[in-house]
Amino acid sequence: MQNIIDVQGLKKEFKSFSSRSGLKGAFRDLFTRNYTIKTAVDDISFTIKKGEMVGYIGENGAGKSTSIKMLTGILTPTDGKIVVNGMNPHKEREKFVKTIGVVFGQRSQLWWDIAVQESFRLLKKIYNVPDQQYEEHMKDVIETLDIGPLLDKPVRKLSLGQRMRCELAAALIHNPPLLFLDEPTIGLDVLVKLKIREFLKRINEKYGTTILLTTHDLSDIEALCERVVMLDEGKIIYDGPLKELRENWAEGKQIQFQFSEEATLEELQHLTQEHLVVWEKGESDLVWVASVEAEETVISGVIGKVTAAKKIADLKILEISTEEIIRNIYVEGAVRHG
Amino acid sequence: MGKYIEMIRIRFLMMLAYRTNYYSGILIYSINIGAYYFLWSAIYGGKENIQGLSITQMTTYIAVAWMARAFYFNNIDREIAMEIKEGKVAVEMVRPYPYLNMKMMQGLGEGIFRLLFFSVPGMIIVALVFPIELSTNASTWLFFFLSITFSFIINTQINLLAGIATFFLFNNDGLIRAKRVVIDLFSGLILPLSFYPMWAQNVMSYLPFQGISYIPSMIFTEGFKGSQIYEALLNQAIWSLLLIIPVYGLWILAKRQLVVQGG
Ligand SMILES: Nc1ncnc2c1ncn2[C@@H]1O[C@H](COP(=O)(O)OP(=O)(O)OP(=O)(O)O)[C@@H](O)[C@H]1O
Ligand SMILES: [Mg+2]
């Protein structure tokens, strides 16, 4: 399989100038200015293969958007090598951008004052899409994203969710083999999110579109991406399957008991003293959660002991959510490798 | 080519959506022209002509200078500055077209709109009220339209330069405002350049500004005759080509140090 994206030792530094105080300072600023260097992306390397859907995650300010701007040819890297779709994005900008689609969730690429379909028409001309291909492809896109009724409205009159669906359609007018999405689901309701996810899956299956997306909503990643690249302070701290990340981090399981009679901590601890269990009280006096190792003997042992001694109304085994795992990683700032 | 025509069309549509804004503009321009007319009537007193221009030619000059301004004038300097400041330039950079050419086409869409919805009706109104002489000579009209096309090119290139300067200065509102005053003054919009002192005329003959307003207006009022017309058009053509150099030079530098604001 060929590499669609190949990044080696990529680095981006920003110079930010600071002003000295006072008149004398302002005068000195005219000649020499103080600046600090901020390394937003610090020597990262990775490759992405055709047809992959990769989640690019990290805390605020980790350097995700900066990386995407370099990958799409908007910013020049300070150092490093980028080959995307076999080209250097910055050097061959005009030819290169015809082969990608980009959505910035925080920024509209449609023309504000004109109807959505006028924007589409202009983009069709800009990307030189033949009529027949446009008809075929866009009919499908418009149907799947359910934006037919919005087409004759000016963009400024659309809601965020409506606009975002149109943005996505606009980024796909030329049916690019590679799609960059920077926070495409920011601020959207659950239904619109689901629709967008379904749509992305569909184009990935139908056209083999490669997708790199950043998001702070991990359920997006869980729904779409098998692989995640995690960034922290400009460095890649994890690159691999989402499943493995979960397995290495979510070592424990939680068992939630809802008793029909009152239970105390001492009582429960006494019942399960053979095993390593951490008991915590849940939402009410009757609900208790036992955190245990993810091992069958332990789980069944604990459940057996507790149910033998006390009446229960409900029982749940919970997995630790990805959300929690990622939070733990962000807090610790490093990834343990299994 | 298709994309450029489409862009002109889109900009035209956008302007059309806000056309009511322009009705007041016609009024303001007409008042301006009226004020200059009365001012010049007073200056001329009983004199037949000053600096080779009769009072009717002078009125025509003022009227056509303002109406031509509606065509060549555009706000793309401000637009570029805004797109840079708000980080919108990021979106422009992921589009497969030369940014500057596209900006120029947007300016052209705006210009064509104003020519049709502003200059033409404005000129008709002004011609009804003031003694204006419209040439019946087809070649004069032809030269005039060629000349205002150059005006548009020169003025837009200067606007591009001012806009791109935002990459380096970041806040260049002052520069853009100063540029506007310089153009209104040195282009001959307010006063035909032949009225300036000799030394100032000399200096201005080395600057591109006269190609923006003085030349087309002089052609229209038939203040230029014979070979003067060709020389003037040649001057405009040379500046149109010459200005490409600093525009692209600055643009290449700007792209290299482009920073995009916001996440
Ligand atoms: N133009 C700039 N000048 C100076 N510093 C910048 C600039 N753009 C970004 N940075 C810095 O680079 C770092 C990475 O920013 P970036 O926008 O890539 O983060 P991000 O991962 O996209 O965060 P978020 O999740 O909040 O969108 C931040 O610390 C930011 O302050
Ligand atoms: Mg970001």
Side-chain angles (χ1 to χ4, degrees), chain B residues 12 14 37 57 60 79 89 95 111 125 141 148 171 177 196 223 236 251 255:
Chain B
F12 192 88
M14 275 155 86
Y37 168 70
Q57 273 183 315
T60 310
E79 257 174 50
V89 75
R95 294 261 163 77
I125 293 171
W141 283 89
I148 60 168
N171 200 333
R177 221 169 297 139
Y196 282 78
Q236 283 187 307
W251 177 237
K255 269 201 291 196

Side-chain angles (χ1 to χ4, degrees), chain A residues 263-276:
Chain A
T264 63
L265 182 61
E266 292 80 42
E267 190 186 356
L268 293 169
Q269 276 172 340
H270 182 73
L271 279 173
T272 55
Q273 58 190 335
E274 298 165 32
H275 303 288
L276 190 64

